[in-house]
Structures are given as C-alpha cells and as structure tokens.
Amino acid sequence: MQQILSLGTSSFAALRAADEIYVDKTAMVEKLARRRGKILLIRPRRFGKTLLLSTFESLFRYGLRDFHGLAIEKEWDDRTYSVVRLDFTELKEFGRGEVFRAKLCEKLTAVFGAVGFPGAPENADVMIRLSAWLADLPPMSLVVLVDAYDAPLTRWLDDPLAFEGIRSVLNEFLQVIKANDGCLRFFFMTGATKICSTGLFAEFDGLRDVSFDEEFGTLLGFTEDELLDNFGPYLDRAAEVAGCSKEELLKKLAEQYGGYHFEPTVSQSVLCPWSVLSFLDRPKTKFAFPWLQSDTHPILQMRRFVRHPQLRPDVFLTDKIVRLKDLEAGGDPEEVDLVILLMQAGYLSILETPERENVKLWFPNQEASVGASRQALWALSNGKIRF
C-alpha cells in the first residue's frame, strides 16, 4: 500500500502512527540530541521546524517508540526525560509588555506544570517561582523545546513600545533558563529570523547557533536523493501528468522550489518541503507557488520593510555579496541589510562563497524570485498593488 504524503502534519508521533512518509533525518537528529547544550536553529517558514521539535519531543519523552526502522534506532541508547515544549506563535497577538508577560506566565505555569511545577500563589511572581523550582531539579533531568521564539517580536515590529516590552519579557525568561541550565539535558529553540535577536541572546551564554553549520545543512528541506528515495510513486504520477520524464520533472522541481543552501560551502542543496509536497499532492495544478500562497513572512508586511532605504528596483537585478558574520549575526531590524532580511525570510539563499569571509546571495528558485518581486512591488506601491 502506498504511503500517504505528510502534507501539513507537524506531529511526529501522529505522522508515524498514520504511516505517512517521513524523510529520515534522524541521523542528524541523533547528532544534535547527543549534545548537552542550548541550540538555536533559524530556517524560513514552512521548512518543517515544528515537525523537527516534535521529533525531539518524541525521542526524549518516549525513547524509540516512534522510530522503528529509522537511522537512529540502532544508535540511540539514552533514557527518557521530562519534556517541556513552548510555541510562541500562541502568544504573538498579545502586544503590550505587561499583557504579554501575563500570558507567558500562564503558558509557563501550564507547560511546566505538566512536569511538576506547582505554579505560584496569587500575587507571587511566576518567573521567580519557576526559577526556584528549576534550581531544585536533578542535574540533566529536563528537556526544553521552544518553537518560533521570534513570532511575537516580528508581529510587533511596527510598534516600538510593544516590541521592546516583548523583547524584555523574552529576555527575562531566557535568563531564568540560563540561571538554571544545570537541570537541562537539552534545550532547542527555533525561529524564522535573527534580526530581532539584538540584545536578546547577548547574555544567554552557551547558545550554539547551528543555522549555518555544514553538518546540518540538510536537516530541513528535501535533497534530490531524498525525493527519489521516498517519493518514487508520486514522482512517477506527477511526471505522467506533466508529460515528461522523471529526470525532467526533478530538474523542474529544483528550478521552481529548490536551490536553498544553508551552509557557506554550498555543497548541499535542498528544496522547500511545503512546496514539493503540495505539488506532489496535486500535480494537475502544474507548478504553482504554495510557499507564496501560505502566510507571508510578517517582517515583509512591516512599515520598516516598506521604508527600508535599500528598497529600490535595482536591488533585485543582481546578486549581492555580504559578510558571512553579518549573515550569522542577524542584527537590529532598524539597521539590518535588506538582502540579509530577504535571505532570512527565504527569498534569497547562499549562491556561492567567493571569499572566506563573504557569501554571495541570490534567488534560490522561481518561487522565491516571484515572491521577492511581488513584495517589492507591494512595498514600492505603498500597498496599492496586491496579488
């Protein structure tokens, strides 16, 4: 029986229980999970960050229960742990600092309460009580997974007061984690951008950013070999619909949805998983742009993008060279280079590394090129042109 496409499934346990196709990334998952540390991964939207967190959650909470037949099965021998998972997209609509803090404290009480945190009495400070509780935990007994840390920040970029309030509260939470990291077996945090991180990670010692590590360049997204190994029947059907060979179809998929390089050696290229799965699910729609039709990156709807001094038509005519350290640093949203912003949003990718310190950025594929052009037209027309 042909396996089902895992389009829209963000729960690893549900995906495996339903026997949906899972492109086996667990060799890299195992390398990361072996480490005792605090790790950050930045990837564009719709690349599978939530599914990755769910994979870590299943591994640490249930061991190998959901990993039968996968690469990690023969390698993993660790025990199970208490796991806390936070999704900051659930808090992004609460804009004022005091409201955001209250909602975050409610969330912390619930998710940490599930693993034993007793909460705080009325009028007591949840953050202080949580810090004290964490301090009493045994060493290496807790796993904390944070999804979309930047979602509330990007939502309120146009409101400086709300933005700074949220950033202050997030920093307070991270300081609680930092002060009690002896209890942590593993801490993993994802986001879609680092441009909001100025002042947020400066004192969060030991956070390792693996976003540009060659070792994990294909952790999210599909390589061509993975497409061939996992989606053979779907590729055959799509090639038949398109009236071309499988080789021609793969070339077209790469042109439309591929070309992403997440490490400066550009030795590993991946395709956007959301677009590929959407196409394979409905090949009669031809080569539409599913990634563009999903949520637009919120930064590109902000006044700060529309008013960016570099926003001119000629920005999109040639490739751009930036310093690798600037790409890795992210920067303040008021000062960040426009091409770095577009790269983190997924519209540009590393094309090559002409020098050790510099990288060349350009559109990875047709979908990203069309998306960047639409965003530019929308911004340059002050929102009068819509698509």
Side-chain angles (χ1 to χ4, degrees), residues 31 98 104 114 117 131 180 186 255 259 265 307 341 357 381-382:
K31 287 182 180 179
E98 62 277 9
L104 176 58
F117 174 51
S131 182
N180 301 285
F186 187 70
E255 291 173 350
T265 70
R307 297 172 180 173
L341 189 156
E357 296 83 9
S381 70
N382 293 313

mmCIF file of all heavy atoms in Angstrom, residues 31 98 104 114 117 131 180 186 255 259 265 307 341 357 381-382:
data_model
loop_
_atom_site.group_PDB
_atom_site.id
_atom_site.type_symbol
_atom_site.label_atom_id
_atom_site.label_comp_id
_atom_site.label_asym_id
_atom_site.label_seq_id
_atom_site.Cartn_x
_atom_site.Cartn_y
_atom_site.Cartn_z
ATOM 1 N N LYS A 31 22.709 13.271 16.224
ATOM 2 C CA LYS A 31 23.925 14.046 16.498
ATOM 3 C C LYS A 31 23.628 15.256 17.376
ATOM 4 O O LYS A 31 24.400 15.589 18.276
ATOM 5 C CB LYS A 31 24.555 14.506 15.179
ATOM 6 C CG LYS A 31 25.237 13.398 14.395
ATOM 7 C CD LYS A 31 25.865 13.951 13.128
ATOM 8 C CE LYS A 31 26.548 12.842 12.333
ATOM 9 N NZ LYS A 31 27.150 13.383 11.068
ATOM 10 N N GLU A 98 3.164 44.102 29.579
ATOM 11 C CA GLU A 98 2.555 43.538 30.775
ATOM 12 C C GLU A 98 1.535 42.442 30.422
ATOM 13 O O GLU A 98 1.399 41.442 31.137
ATOM 14 C CB GLU A 98 1.890 44.633 31.618
ATOM 15 C CG GLU A 98 0.741 45.383 30.948
ATOM 16 C CD GLU A 98 1.173 46.519 30.044
ATOM 17 O OE1 GLU A 98 2.394 46.646 29.785
ATOM 18 O OE2 GLU A 98 0.281 47.285 29.605
ATOM 19 N N LEU A 104 2.430 34.861 28.974
ATOM 20 C CA LEU A 104 3.555 33.928 29.004
ATOM 21 C C LEU A 104 3.607 33.188 30.334
ATOM 22 O O LEU A 104 3.834 31.971 30.370
ATOM 23 C CB LEU A 104 4.860 34.683 28.769
ATOM 24 C CG LEU A 104 6.142 33.838 28.878
ATOM 25 C CD1 LEU A 104 6.123 32.683 27.891
ATOM 26 C CD2 LEU A 104 7.388 34.693 28.663
ATOM 27 N N ALA A 114 2.843 20.573 33.814
ATOM 28 C CA ALA A 114 2.659 19.194 33.346
ATOM 29 C C ALA A 114 3.822 18.283 33.746
ATOM 30 O O ALA A 114 3.679 17.053 33.733
ATOM 31 C CB ALA A 114 2.494 19.184 31.821
ATOM 32 N N PHE A 117 5.898 21.433 38.018
ATOM 33 C CA PHE A 117 5.972 22.791 38.575
ATOM 34 C C PHE A 117 4.650 23.111 39.268
ATOM 35 O O PHE A 117 3.589 23.069 38.645
ATOM 36 C CB PHE A 117 6.255 23.789 37.463
ATOM 37 C CG PHE A 117 6.214 25.235 37.892
ATOM 38 C CD1 PHE A 117 6.943 25.682 38.998
ATOM 39 C CD2 PHE A 117 5.465 26.162 37.180
ATOM 40 C CE1 PHE A 117 6.908 27.004 39.391
ATOM 41 C CE2 PHE A 117 5.434 27.499 37.556
ATOM 42 C CZ PHE A 117 6.154 27.922 38.670
ATOM 43 N N SER A 131 12.046 29.809 38.526
ATOM 44 C CA SER A 131 13.494 29.733 38.677
ATOM 45 C C SER A 131 13.878 28.906 39.900
ATOM 46 O O SER A 131 14.788 28.069 39.846
ATOM 47 C CB SER A 131 14.070 31.149 38.778
ATOM 48 O OG SER A 131 15.477 31.114 38.870
ATOM 49 N N ASN A 180 19.544 28.433 35.451
ATOM 50 C CA ASN A 180 19.269 27.083 35.973
ATOM 51 C C ASN A 180 19.575 26.001 34.945
ATOM 52 O O ASN A 180 18.937 24.947 34.952
ATOM 53 C CB ASN A 180 17.801 27.007 36.409
ATOM 54 C CG ASN A 180 17.460 28.027 37.472
ATOM 55 O OD1 ASN A 180 17.828 27.878 38.623
ATOM 56 N ND2 ASN A 180 16.766 29.091 37.070
ATOM 57 N N PHE A 186 18.739 19.061 27.507
ATOM 58 C CA PHE A 186 18.754 19.526 26.119
ATOM 59 C C PHE A 186 17.836 20.731 26.025
ATOM 60 O O PHE A 186 16.752 20.750 26.601
ATOM 61 C CB PHE A 186 18.241 18.400 25.216
ATOM 62 C CG PHE A 186 18.335 18.656 23.733
ATOM 63 C CD1 PHE A 186 19.557 18.683 23.086
ATOM 64 C CD2 PHE A 186 17.187 18.843 22.969
ATOM 65 C CE1 PHE A 186 19.643 18.884 21.706
ATOM 66 C CE2 PHE A 186 17.258 19.046 21.603
ATOM 67 C CZ PHE A 186 18.502 19.066 20.968
ATOM 68 N N GLU A 255 14.221 23.854 -10.118
ATOM 69 C CA GLU A 255 14.137 25.235 -10.625
ATOM 70 C C GLU A 255 13.035 26.017 -9.930
ATOM 71 O O GLU A 255 13.177 27.212 -9.659
ATOM 72 C CB GLU A 255 13.887 25.216 -12.138
ATOM 73 C CG GLU A 255 15.057 24.705 -12.955
ATOM 74 C CD GLU A 255 14.702 24.544 -14.419
ATOM 75 O OE1 GLU A 255 13.494 24.651 -14.749
ATOM 76 O OE2 GLU A 255 15.606 24.293 -15.236
ATOM 77 N N GLY A 259 17.257 24.880 -4.667
ATOM 78 C CA GLY A 259 18.335 25.856 -4.669
ATOM 79 C C GLY A 259 18.664 26.483 -3.336
ATOM 80 O O GLY A 259 19.457 27.428 -3.266
ATOM 81 N N THR A 265 29.507 26.419 2.327
ATOM 82 C CA THR A 265 30.207 25.633 1.310
ATOM 83 C C THR A 265 29.327 25.376 0.081
ATOM 84 O O THR A 265 29.821 24.969 -0.960
ATOM 85 C CB THR A 265 30.662 24.270 1.871
ATOM 86 O OG1 THR A 265 29.516 23.427 2.103
ATOM 87 C CG2 THR A 265 31.448 24.445 3.163
ATOM 88 N N ARG A 307 9.759 51.002 4.244
ATOM 89 C CA ARG A 307 10.543 52.233 4.289
ATOM 90 C C ARG A 307 12.052 51.988 4.275
ATOM 91 O O ARG A 307 12.829 52.907 4.502
ATOM 92 C CB ARG A 307 10.169 53.019 5.549
ATOM 93 C CG ARG A 307 8.711 53.464 5.573
ATOM 94 C CD ARG A 307 8.361 54.046 6.922
ATOM 95 N NE ARG A 307 6.959 54.472 6.967
ATOM 96 C CZ ARG A 307 6.355 54.895 8.083
ATOM 97 N NH1 ARG A 307 7.041 54.951 9.217
ATOM 98 N NH2 ARG A 307 5.090 55.259 8.060
ATOM 99 N N LEU A 341 17.813 40.532 5.374
ATOM 100 C CA LEU A 341 16.414 40.360 5.757
ATOM 101 C C LEU A 341 15.709 39.404 4.790
ATOM 102 O O LEU A 341 15.002 38.484 5.202
ATOM 103 C CB LEU A 341 15.727 41.716 5.782
ATOM 104 C CG LEU A 341 14.310 41.823 6.350
ATOM 105 C CD1 LEU A 341 14.063 43.236 6.828
ATOM 106 C CD2 LEU A 341 13.248 41.451 5.330
ATOM 107 N N GLU A 357 35.433 35.140 3.965
ATOM 108 C CA GLU A 357 34.632 35.972 4.854
ATOM 109 C C GLU A 357 33.303 36.395 4.246
ATOM 110 O O GLU A 357 32.440 36.919 4.950
ATOM 111 C CB GLU A 357 35.417 37.231 5.252
ATOM 112 C CG GLU A 357 36.675 36.961 6.063
ATOM 113 C CD GLU A 357 37.863 36.599 5.184
ATOM 114 O OE1 GLU A 357 37.728 36.729 3.947
ATOM 115 O OE2 GLU A 357 38.895 36.179 5.723
ATOM 116 N N SER A 381 4.721 50.367 -4.145
ATOM 117 C CA SER A 381 3.432 50.985 -4.477
ATOM 118 C C SER A 381 2.654 51.381 -3.230
ATOM 119 O O SER A 381 1.479 51.736 -3.327
ATOM 120 C CB SER A 381 2.596 50.016 -5.323
ATOM 121 O OG SER A 381 2.171 48.912 -4.529
ATOM 122 N N ASN A 382 3.323 51.266 -2.051
ATOM 123 C CA ASN A 382 2.648 51.583 -0.773
ATOM 124 C C ASN A 382 1.405 50.736 -0.559
ATOM 125 O O ASN A 382 0.392 51.214 -0.040
ATOM 126 C CB ASN A 382 2.305 53.071 -0.703
ATOM 127 C CG ASN A 382 3.543 53.951 -0.632
ATOM 128 O OD1 ASN A 382 4.439 53.675 0.156
ATOM 129 N ND2 ASN A 382 3.598 54.979 -1.458
#
